[in-house]
Amino acid sequence: MSKRWLFLSAAAVLIVVSLALVLLPGDKNGEEVKTAAGSAATEPAATSSSPVNSPSASGTSTPSTRATVAPKKPSATPSVRATTKPTATSATKTRQQASGTAALAGRIRPGVTYTGVATFYDADGGGACMYDPSGDVMTGAMNTTDYESSKACGAYVLVHAANGATVTVRITNECPGDCAPGQIDLSAQAFAKLAAPSAGRIPITWNLASPSTSDTISIRYKTGSTRYWCGIQAIGHRNPLARLEVGTSSGWRQLQRTDYNYFLSEDGSGCGGALRLTDIYGEQLTVPALAVRANVTQSTRLQFAKH
């Protein structure tokens, strides 16, 4: 056999083998290409969903990421908040609760009967409470114990004598010294409503009153008051005054009450600003800002409710 024939035969075999390999299914290289193409097709979806579990630079998921995430089942917490009834914390509700107990009262409390004696003196409406003398002579001076560092100032008390006579007086003064707890030193005119002046001293019982009145509360700044230091007094309140507060940039500030019945702001805080008055029943009255006018009585047109 010639060399030329052998060469042609070998070439033919190689051609046949090559054709067979091309025509066989499931080519490995073809699968790898197909798999790579499939991965490339799904890559954008993987990229867009990857931030779901990864916070953004700001610490929260981006809007686009939240848009591609399936909505989660709402938690129970928001629905509980939505159905829970709000706690009654309004000022009106608080005052109504306090009105039955007079929680802010001092020694003189509503619904309590006190026992003592009555004496009398020549009163003109003035005295330790620093009220001006007036034509109202139905007044009394409270013993030091029940005066309680001026907490009794302005309180109305109904006094009962053993003979059944009664008189309502406003506390304008303190009876120091020999006046025992329970004792009231009445004006001569008030004492005369209960007994003859010749009696001099009679046993009494008395209790807190909340009378009808057409008067309204007035405010007075103490002599020497300015915007840098002031003393403030409330006059003509129907019920005993428990607190006086001044409005400041940081809220209401309660002032300290003196035994001469002024509330002091020694650093000037709130002087000339709005005031808030609270009686022993918890009722609060807000007085708009009043000019600091020393020793001038300024009307508020406000009054506490009758009890």
Side-chain angles (χ1 to χ4, degrees), residues 7 41 57 61 99-100 102 134 158 163 168 200 251 273 292 297:
F7 176 79
S61 299
S99 66
S134 69
L158 177 61
N163 61 8
T168 298
V292 180
T297 302

Side-chain angles (χ1 to χ4, degrees), residues 90-105:
S90 67
T92 302
K93 183 68 175 178
T94 300
R95 290 197 296 271
Q96 289 174 349
Q97 291 174 341
S99 66
T101 60
L104 299 174

Side-chain angles (χ1 to χ4, degrees), residues 5 36 50 53 61 64 66 78-79 101 149 173 179 191 223-224 298:
W5 173 252
S50 61
N53 296 321
S61 299
S64 60
R66 288 198 293 270
S79 61
T101 60
S149 298
N173 203 356
C179 280
F191 187 91
T223 301
Q298 303 182 63

Side-chain angles (χ1 to χ4, degrees), residues 21 41-43 92 112 115 125-126 135 137 174 187 189 205 216 226-228 242 252 269 272 285 297 306:
L21 291 172
T42 58
E43 184 65 25
T92 302
V112 178
T115 301
V137 292
E174 177 184 9
S187 67
Q189 295 86 340
T205 59
T216 57
T226 67
R227 297 187 67 86
Y228 307 101
W252 292 106
S269 177
L285 302 176
T297 302
K306 185 179 185 299

Side-chain angles (χ1 to χ4, degrees), residues 138-159:
M138 294 296 109
T139 61
M142 185 63 71
N143 67 84
T144 297
T145 300
D146 295 320
Y147 180 79
E148 200 176 0
S149 298
S150 81
K151 285 185 180 180
C153 286
Y156 288 88
V157 295
L158 177 61
V159 184

Side-chain angles (χ1 to χ4, degrees), residues 188-253:
Q189 295 86 340
F191 187 91
K193 297 283 186 179
L194 302 177
S198 59
R201 180 185 183 96
I202 60 172
I204 59 169
T205 59
W206 55 273
N207 53 273
L208 184 66
S210 179
S212 299
T213 179
S214 59
D215 293 340
T216 57
I217 299 171
S218 297
I219 298 295
R220 179 164 58 193
Y221 279 95
K222 193 178 186 304
T223 301
S225 292
T226 67
R227 297 187 67 86
Y228 307 101
W229 179 95
C230 65
I232 307 171
Q233 181 185 59
I235 305 169
H237 40 87
R238 186 200 311 265
N239 306 318
L241 189 63
R243 288 198 299 254
L244 187 151
E245 299 166 280
V246 292
T248 69
S249 58
S250 58
W252 292 106
R253 175 189 173 192

